[in-house]
């Protein structure tokens, strides 16, 4: 079974593409920072990257993006004067692996140089217990006596897509601790990296050259003897909640880690990881391929879950680098948030706090976008302030090399509703209303206010309409009455009304304060009216199909093959007003089907089936968000083979790492946490058939034929459950620490799950 | 003075471009058909074209366009066996001219062939009295005795842009009359051309070959003797209101013409032309350049004025060919209609009848465009049925050779209001309400209905808005609250309300019938509300500038030079969603300024000045409609030098014929009747300062400094006036046949103009 908890490779391919992919696949992270799966001796050319969460910087007019820290994990060895590196030295043997159980990266390489064999082994992790710190154990062995020089320390040659972001980088050594400190270019925030070692051999000197702050350790190594040392590095920025200077914080952090030692640090780290998996693992018996892909997906989510109390969120490429500006998209709420909500709500709450923190940015965007709106128009690409990092021209035209005007930023208005829905889901599923009082209700009301200011009333049809938007299908810009967007807006009004009713009843004083502060009393009845009168395209009476937007049916019928055959350049974008897909019915990703999934309770299986079958052949899946929506709805309507194929496509995206990594000259490689979340949702909501609301959890198993069992965990209303589905029965184990009984409906049967008890329900497939 | 009534050239340049330009400059027409200014011996390669008004055809998926008739004016001479042609024979002398007084084209060429000199002279006109017919007098003289063969008849090698439109073309000779008959490809309408000659020399045989139906006349010509014959040709189509077959109609027409003879035909023709000029001429003393350009412009309008009773309109390139599909655009109502309205209302009424005739097409367009509208959405490019000939992809991208999606057809909604405004202007200025009863009121109400169905209500602003349109500035597509469009829509509601009030009071019975037929009773109060609550962008309180559309001010500031410097291909279009002008403030043509001109009474000089000065440097004048709007407003606000420059630019467009004639591979050459109308408007409304309403005519002279006098004619409320403006005084001569006194306000002084009397007012400039 160990292979299901580990990914590994037994070869090193000295090619840029392979090094880049391994950097993604073997990355580790701890929510505070990511560390790409590169080797100790690598540098910026091999895309070594320690990407920090929630701190951004911009150079000139280039894209604003997350800051990468100096690499405190650098080590390179010279054997008898020859520098050893996987890039230049002969390799006898190589293995690198990633332990999914605790996010520990390990490499073991046997080099052959000057007829001697040098074996290097290093193990590293970013502490899940002390998220500013990373720990590495590095050992080397030679087969013959040799002169060894180890250079280890902080490499501040930083890989940046649009840098340099850290200026005035200054190396220091002080009481045996290495320090590199710099300031961000844009706002002058200090960033410090400290490094300490635990080392009991050789002779150490200090050297700073080539933008490296290094210890140089020399020794005469004996044959067969293994020399091991441990490195502790820490990154602090002025975003961190520390009172002392970041350099001091970093220094004291590595000192403390060194004092604890490697084993203790690892144990603390492991304890955290054990808890994560206890709450989050999904087990699939009978299908190792699916099991490994799904677990890897969950792992990807766990490593990037924001640090508690940080109010950070998860960028579209997580912490695997600076791709997509490290920006937070709708991906987080719609694809990642459910995983956290149902497994570790303490992380879900951080994602929501991030939206509360950036509410002012969303307000600024509403005011300044177009002719000006009211309320909160959340950024399409959100960074720390909530102002939009998305440009109006964000796709290159390969024919003219000009940037194409797109409307992602100004017209993809469903983002605000996505946030409001997640905010309310948090309250519904956890039962925790504190978030509403701490800004959540304000976010919801500002989103409703935004939609009201965006909506128009069509008097002769007595309805509100949401006009001129982009739905999830980004190939068709500026459409009217997009089913997904309108439904999200309608739901936002409903949620706003529900929140108002709840607060009014439960917290009348605080509600009054909020209403006054927001000056929103006059608008509340309008939200009620809008919830009732907002037009959402309805299923056709005969076919059951919902038209994706006004006049979609008039677009040209074609096939994806025919469309692609018309492409004149491999990188030409199919949308943006003049793209090949624009005049056709070909869509980029699930749109109506995404809506049916998000609002699954509001539509019958018949409608879902009609739309799945209509839109699926017309979907190009030009986004990694698409497959899981089709997978979930397919499971829902019993198309389990199709669901399974789409599930695997989603779940394997990062472990197989076959996605394109360049569009034109733009690097877009990295991980896909939204697809990872989609894989989890497909397993639990799709095949597990879980649908929950505030009052109960329903489970309607849709187990895939190949699977002997599906075993997952759920958090609901502050309590925890472990659920195991086999082809014949469902077992719900309520945690012994649960506070109360819970209502479940399993395969149509109502049961009550009592703390510490197992409930067992047989069902017929 | 004769040169001011004639254009001519004394050389023949044997180059395609020159032949094409002369074909435009020297064209004649009579409303029924146009005949390009080509030479008798020319064929389709020289763009010989007899373009018919109001009959269209489509071949396959190509553009639908007007039908060109077989050329009944063909004649070619052979001298001692050698074919004589300006294309291949030595030319000793050549002169061709066009008499603007009566639209007679004349060419005189001395050829040198085999050391003999052949002099050819031909004179042709398309009868203004019998619009189906054309008449040619052709004579030849040799300086030495020679064997002459004249081939004359009907050439049915037809120049088509997207043909062939006439199928089954069959030649016949019957009782001395040549006939070619064919049927249109799309609808099988018969088209016949007959030809007769009056000839008293030589020996005639008949030949049909090379798609020519010819008389072959041979003679031994004596030196110095002039041989003259006359040709009469007639074109009839099944669109004509004739009861007999078109071939018979054509034959009997040419028989009759031959019986009358050349001189009588010419006299009848001239009588019509004398009347035209009597009513329509504008004289500018002291500025021959302006005089000739303006007269030529008026001439262009007169030759294409629709035949009385035809209910035809005028295409954007008039009858100079098939360019722009022979389609009728907003150009007609906004730029040509005023000329006819104020000089020959019997032509203005045809233009309006055309819109009544095509109302059903406009209704069909409303129903089928977008998600469907109600009322009348007039075609952007209208042909005989009123269905839209404009495609959604009508501009070629030079980079990909693909067609670009544009929104001319579906979003340039101001066209309906342009029609409604013209319809109401006809009633206001002529006092003739019969048109309202014959469909005019229905058109107006259907246009109002369309705007109501197009408009949205913004509840929180308590206003209607017109969203998602293209204004006259076509570089910025899909904008909200375009000042021009919204104002036109508002005016349409106002006009609809005024029409309702008028009919209700004056023709209550007919009004009731109309309301019932249209089932519109319930909607009439909505039009009143919409007229009051429709939002039109207002002048900024400080600057006076009106924002062209929502968020125009946020576009990038640049210069036209900087923009053009960024062009990578000379034919790249600056609009269409991704064009270089789209993200900038650079506009294609007058938009706000056009609105200020159209609604000149509603805005102060201060506002006009502010907007003229703001928008003028930002206007690229990528349309021939732009200059006259700037000219008129410039005259209005006293910028007379600028007005004059723009006036000349407009007035000289066709006489100088320097406009581009190809865009990519698409031929766009031909005449510019909208600019011609703009030239007239600038002279009369601009420099003449004429503003009229139903009750009175106001004249506020803005005479250009160079001009000694400006003398023009006006029709108002069924009566006629001749107005002469000098730098010091204004003389209004009321026609002796006028039915009543009329109120004029000249330079602020109210006067009464009594039939047959002169009124004289001094003013200070």
């Amino acid at each position: 079974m160990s292979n299901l908890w580990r990914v590994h490779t037994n070869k090193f391919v000295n090619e840029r593409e392979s090094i880049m992919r391994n950097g993604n696949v073997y990355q580790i992270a701890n929510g505070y920072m990511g560390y790409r799966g590169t080797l100790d001796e690598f540098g910026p050319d091999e895309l070594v990257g320690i990407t920090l969460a929630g701190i951004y910087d911009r150079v000139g007019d280039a894209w604003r993006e997350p800051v990468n820290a100096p690499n405190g994990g650098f080590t390179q060895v010279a054997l008898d004067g020859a520098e050893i590196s996987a890039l230049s030295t002969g390799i006898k043997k190589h293995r690198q692996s990633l332990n999914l159980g605790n996010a520990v990266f390990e490499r073991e390489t046997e080099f052959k140089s000057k007829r001697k064999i040098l074996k290097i082994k290093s193990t590293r992790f970013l502490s899940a217990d002390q998220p500013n710190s990373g720990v590495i154990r590095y050992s080397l062995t030679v087969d013959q006596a040799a002169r060894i020089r180890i250079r280890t320390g902080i490499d501040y040659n930083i890989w940046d897509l649009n840098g340099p972001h850290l200026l005035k980088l200054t190396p220091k050594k002080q009481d045996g601790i290495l320090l590199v400190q710099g300031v961000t270019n844009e706002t002058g925030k200090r960033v410090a990296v400290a490094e300490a070692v635990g080392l009991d051999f050789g002779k150490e000197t200090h050297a700073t050259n080539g933008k490296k702050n290094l210890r140089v350790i020399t020794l005469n190594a004996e044959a067969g003897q293994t020399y091991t040392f441990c490195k502790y590095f820490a990154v602090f920025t002025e975003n961190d909640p520390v009172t002392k200077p970041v350099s001091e914080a970093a220094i004291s952090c590595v000192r403390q880690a060194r004092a604890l030692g490697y084993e203790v640090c690892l144990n603390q780290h492991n304890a955290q990881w054990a808890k994560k998996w206890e709450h989050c693992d999904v087990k699939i018996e009978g299908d190792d391929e699916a099991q490994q892909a799904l677990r890897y997906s969950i792992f990807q989510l766990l490593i990037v879950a924001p640090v508690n109390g940080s109010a950070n969120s998860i960028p579209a490429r997580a912490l695997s680098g600076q791709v997509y500006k490290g920006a937070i998209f709708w991906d987080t709420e719609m694809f990642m948030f459910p995983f956290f909500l149902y497994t570790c709500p303490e992380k879900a709450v951080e994602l929501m706090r991030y939206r509360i923190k950036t509410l002012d940015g969303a307000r600024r965007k509403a005011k300044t976008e177009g002719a000006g709106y009211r309320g909160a128009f959340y950024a399409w690409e959100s960074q720390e302030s909530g102002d939009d990092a998305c440009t109006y021209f964000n796709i290159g035209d390969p024919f003219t090399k000009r940037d194409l005007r797109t409307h992602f930023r100004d017209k993809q208005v469903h983002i605000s509703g996505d946030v409001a829905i997640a905010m309310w889901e948090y309250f519904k599923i956890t039962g925790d209303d504190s978030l509403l009082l701490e800004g959540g209700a304000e976010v919801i009301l500002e989103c409703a206010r935004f939609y009201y200011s965006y909506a128009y009333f069509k008097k002769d049809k007595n309805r509100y309409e949401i006009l001129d938007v982009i739905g999830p299908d980004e190939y068709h810009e500026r459409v009217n009455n997009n089913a997904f967007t309108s439904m999200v807006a309608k739901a936002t009004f409903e949620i706003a009304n529900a929140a108002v009713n709840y607060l009014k009843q439960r917290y009348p004083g605080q509600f009054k304060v909020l209403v006054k502060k927001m000056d929103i009393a006059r608008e509340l009845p309008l939200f009620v009216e809008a919830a009732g009168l907002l037009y959402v395209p309805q299923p056709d009476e005969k076919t059951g199909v919902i038209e994706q937007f006004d006049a979609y049916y008039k677009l040209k019928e074609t096939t994806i093959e025919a469309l692609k055959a018309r492409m004149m350049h491999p990188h030409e974008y199919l949308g943006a007003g003049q793209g090949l897909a624009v005049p056709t019915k070909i869509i980029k990703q699930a749109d109506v089907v995404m809506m049916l999934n998000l609002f699954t309770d509001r539509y019958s299986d018949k409608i879902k089936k009609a739309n799945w079958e209509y839109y699926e052949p017309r979907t190009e899946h030009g986004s990694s968000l698409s497959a899981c929506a089709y997978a979930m709805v397919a499971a829902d309507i019993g198309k389990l083979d199709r669901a399974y194929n789409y599930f695997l496509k989603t779940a394997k995206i990062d472990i197989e790492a076959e996605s394109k990594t360049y569009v034109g000259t733009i690097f877009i490689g990295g991980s896909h946490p939204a697809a990872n979340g989609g894989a989890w949702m497909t397993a639990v909501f799709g095949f597990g058939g879980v649908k929950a609301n505030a009052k109960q959890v329903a489970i309607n198993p849709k187990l895939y034929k190949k699977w002997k069992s599906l075993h997952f965990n759920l958090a609901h209303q502050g309590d925890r459950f472990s659920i195991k589905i086999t082809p014949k029965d469902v077992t719900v184990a309520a945690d012994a620490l649960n506070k109360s009984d819970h209502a479940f409906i399993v395969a149509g049967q109502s049961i009550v799950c009592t703390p510490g008890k197992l409930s067992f329900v047989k069902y017929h497939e």
Side-chain angles (χ1 to χ4, degrees), chain A:
Chain A
M1 278 295 284
S2 82
N3 67 319
L4 298 178
W5 282 104
R6 196 178 279 276
V7 292
H8 75 276
T9 177
N10 285 329
K11 62 179 172 188
F12 175 77
V13 179
N14 194 356
E15 282 167 10
R16 187 178 165 76
E17 187 73 9
S18 169
I19 291 170
M20 186 270 294
R21 279 176 201 278
N22 283 343
N24 293 329
V25 174
Y26 293 90
Q27 67 177 305
I28 54 176
N30 65 357
Y32 182 84
M33 58 187 154
Y35 195 149
R36 292 174 57 78
T38 48
L39 304 185
D40 311 80
E41 64 270 29
F42 284 178
D45 288 347
E46 291 74 44
L47 316 191
V48 169
I50 293 182
T51 301
L52 304 181
I55 180 165
Y56 297 84
D57 184 73
R58 183 176 195 177
V59 176
D61 284 340
W63 282 2
R64 219 161 168 272
E65 62 190 13
V67 171
N68 279 347
N71 174 17
F74 176 81
T75 299
Q76 185 163 20
V77 172
L79 174 71
D80 290 338
E83 294 287 353
I84 301 301
S85 165
L87 299 173
S88 51
T89 311
I91 291 176
K92 242 190 115 212
K93 222 167 151 186
H94 175 81
R95 176 184 166 90
Q96 69 189 62
S97 71
L98 178 64
N99 185 340
L100 305 181
N102 60 356
V104 170
F105 171 82
E106 203 164 272
R107 67 83 67 100
E108 221 176 321
T109 314
E110 281 185 37
F111 292 104
K112 196 168 183 178
S113 174
K114 301 188 179 174
R115 303 194 173 188
K116 293 182 181 175
I117 288 172
L118 167 71
K119 192 166 147 188
I120 281 173
K121 182 173 174 183
S122 85
T123 308
R124 74 169 169 242
F125 61 91
L126 296 173
S127 174
D129 192 62
Q130 201 331 346
N132 295 80
S133 75
V135 181
I136 300 170
R137 185 170 62 193
Y138 192 98
S139 52
L140 61 91
T141 319
V142 281
D143 69 336
Q144 300 163 54
R147 195 162 36 88
I148 292 291
R149 192 193 65 201
I150 302 165
R151 295 185 311 138
T152 189
I154 304 168
D155 181 2
Y156 54 101
N157 292 283
I158 299 173
W159 171 49
D160 276 324
L161 295 179
N162 298 286
H165 299 296
L166 290 181
L167 307 181
K168 302 185 194 159
L169 282 161
T170 317
K172 249 194 193 172
K173 189 173 181 188
Q174 177 178 330
D175 302 332
I177 309 285
L178 299 181
L179 182 77
V180 170
Q181 191 173 214
V183 294
T184 60
N185 164 70
E186 193 181 17
T187 54
K189 278 187 183 158
R190 263 181 279 268
V191 173
V193 177
E195 187 245 29
V197 294
L199 176 101
D200 55 8
F201 57 82
K203 186 191 152 216
E204 181 178 334
T205 60
H206 180 232
T208 59
N209 52 48
K211 289 197 178 175
K212 292 190 179 81
N213 188 11
L214 297 174
R215 310 167 190 281
V216 183
I217 300 145
T218 49
L219 71 150
N220 291 314
E222 290 171 31
Q225 169 88 31
T226 297
Y227 299 87
T228 299
F229 64 96
C230 295
K231 271 171 78 78
Y232 308 88
F233 67 86
V235 184
F236 277 80
T237 80
E238 286 189 331
N239 269 12
D240 291 319
V242 283
T243 46
K244 50 185 160 188
V246 292
S247 56
E248 285 178 34
I251 288 168
S252 95
C253 180
V254 295
R255 270 213 184 104
Q256 198 180 345
R258 186 176 56 184
L260 293 172
Y262 180 84
E263 290 301 332
V264 173
C265 289
L266 180 60
N267 286 343
Q268 290 174 340
H269 171 78
N270 285 346
Q272 294 292 338
W273 270 97
K275 229 189 314 177
K276 287 182 206 287
W277 282 114
E278 186 197 336
H279 293 157
C280 304
D281 194 23
V282 176
K283 292 190 189 75
I284 300 171
E285 275 188 302
D287 187 349
D288 284 357
E289 182 187 16
Q291 171 70 78
Q292 193 181 33
L294 177 58
R295 185 165 287 142
Y296 187 79
S297 297
I298 296 171
F299 171 81
Q300 289 294 327
L301 292 164
L302 293 176
I303 61 175
V304 296
V307 171
N308 292 354
S310 66
N312 277 337
S313 188
I314 305 173
R317 285 287 182 271
L319 297 173
S320 64
Q322 295 161 319
V323 164
Y324 289 148
K325 307 165 194 161
I328 288 89
F329 292 69
W330 72 307
D331 306 33
T332 309
E333 275 73 18
M334 290 289 107
F335 296 86
M336 308 175 210
F337 175 78
F339 164 78
F340 294 108
L341 177 62
Y342 283 94
T343 61
C344 35
E346 71 280 11
K347 297 298 181 185
V349 81
E350 294 302 334
L351 303 178
M352 292 301 97
R353 283 190 184 128
Y354 168 76
R355 295 302 191 177
I356 295 170
K357 177 176 83 176
T358 54
L359 175 59
D360 273 345
R363 285 193 184 107
R364 280 191 295 274
K365 178 175 172 185
K367 260 198 208 94
T368 53
E369 208 58 62
Y373 305 101
R374 306 174 65 246
F377 185 177
Y378 274 91
W380 187 245
E381 300 182 7
S382 186
Q383 297 174 332
E384 75 271 52
S385 68
D387 294 286
D388 209 323
C390 186
T391 61
Y392 294 115
F393 299 83
N394 62 347
I395 288 181
D397 176 6
F399 301 111
T400 59
K401 312 290 175 209
R402 292 179 189 145
D403 287 331
L404 295 171
R405 172 70 159 104
T406 58
H407 293 272
F408 298 129
R409 171 176 169 148
D410 47 333
K411 299 295 178 190
Q412 215 148 356
V413 300
H414 65 76
I415 175 67
S416 286
D418 303 336
V419 170
I421 288 168
M423 199 67 80
W424 189 246
E425 280 294 296
Y426 177 82
F427 166 55
K428 252 172 64 187
I429 299 304
T430 64
D432 169 14
D433 59 17
S434 65
L435 191 67
L436 290 178
L437 300 170
E438 289 162 15
E442 192 173 349
V443 164
I444 289 169
L445 288 172
E446 286 288 26
C447 291
R449 185 180 245 169
F450 167 66
Y451 283 125
Y452 197 87
S453 89
Y454 197 87
Y456 279 89
F457 194 71
K458 194 79 193 87
K459 277 202 174 189
D460 43 3
K461 294 175 178 163
N462 192 38
R463 68 192 197 190
Y464 289 91
E465 297 186 19
I466 302 286
L467 305 171
D468 198 4
V469 303
I470 310 185
D473 162 28
E474 293 165 335
Y475 288 161
H476 296 95
E477 301 197 338
R478 305 197 60 188
V479 301
N480 293 337
N481 296 311
N482 166 250
F484 179 89
T485 306
S486 296
M487 193 61 158
V488 161
K490 187 186 178 74
T492 303
F493 288 123
E494 293 169 352
I495 287 169
N497 300 334
V500 164
N501 291 337
Y502 180 81
L503 294 180
K504 205 189 274 181
Q505 206 167 25
R506 192 72 178 268
Y507 302 100
Q510 292 180 59
F511 176 67
K512 226 169 141 183
V513 170
L514 178 66
V515 166
K516 198 173 167 196
K517 171 188 160 196
M518 294 183 70
D519 188 18
I520 203 167
R522 219 174 26 84
E523 297 163 62
L524 298 180
L526 300 176
F527 299 166
V528 176
E529 182 185 82
L533 295 183
L534 183 65
Y535 169 64
V536 178
Q538 292 301 305
D540 181 87
E541 280 184 23
K542 274 187 195 157
T543 64
V545 176
I546 297 167
E547 194 174 19
Q548 190 178 301
F549 50 78
D550 282 359
Y552 170 85
Y553 288 150
K554 290 185 183 168
L555 296 175
K556 208 180 150 185
E557 199 66 85
T558 185
T559 64
I560 289 158
E561 296 66 42
L563 191 81
K564 296 215 160 165
R566 293 190 58 216
M567 286 176 73
M568 294 164 57
H569 191 289
H571 296 153
E572 67 173 284
Y573 183 62
L574 299 176
Q578 298 293 354
L580 287 174
V582 176
T584 78
K585 291 202 178 88
I586 300 300
I587 65 175
K588 185 175 180 186
Q589 66 192 79
D591 192 303
V592 169
V593 168
M594 179 71 198
M595 190 270 275
L596 294 174
N597 185 59
L598 188 57
F599 299 95
T600 184
D601 286 343
R602 305 195 188 197
Y603 295 93
S604 70
D605 279 8
K606 206 179 132 197
I607 298 297
K608 287 175 189 166
K609 188 164 178 288
N611 284 279
W612 197 98
E613 288 174 355
Y614 181 85
Y615 286 108
E616 194 266 348
R618 294 173 173 85
T619 306
E620 193 247 340
H621 303 297
S623 157
S624 59
L625 310 179
S626 190
C628 68
Y630 278 100
M632 281 185 272
V633 176
D636 206 11
I637 58 178
K639 288 178 180 285
L640 296 187
D641 285 328
R642 302 302 307 273
Y644 182 72
N645 288 341
Y646 276 118
F647 166 68
L648 275 193
K649 192 174 164 180
T650 300
K652 288 167 114 177
I653 189 165
D654 280 334
I655 196 165
E656 293 204 333
E658 284 176 353
S659 305
K660 53 186 176 185
T661 50
Y662 279 89
V663 167
T665 54
I666 298 178
F667 179 62
I668 62 158
S671 49
H672 299 77
N676 304 147
W680 180 88
M681 287 197 288
T682 305
V684 174
F685 299 157
F687 296 110
V690 168
K691 289 180 189 174
N693 59 29
K695 290 191 185 136
Q696 71 203 11
V697 177
I699 300 173
N700 280 295
K702 308 271 183 178
L703 208 63
Y704 187 54
K705 60 190 174 195
K706 208 174 164 182
W707 297 0
K708 288 186 191 143
S709 73
L710 173 68
H711 191 161
F712 53 88
N713 302 285
L714 282 185
H716 189 250
Q717 299 295 318
D719 283 345
R720 294 193 169 273
F721 304 89
S722 165
I723 290 134
K724 183 169 185 177
I725 298 173
T726 77
K728 295 193 173 148
D729 50 49
V730 177
T731 311
V732 181
D735 197 278
L737 297 176
N738 283 359
K739 297 177 299 293
S740 61
D741 286 356
H742 285 261
F744 274 62
I745 303 179
V746 178
Q749 298 177 48
S750 292
I751 58 170
V752 173
C753 297
T754 305
K757 303 281 185 202
L758 289 182
S759 306
F760 183 78
V761 177
K762 282 188 181 276
Y763 73 96
H764 298 288
E765 274 182 295

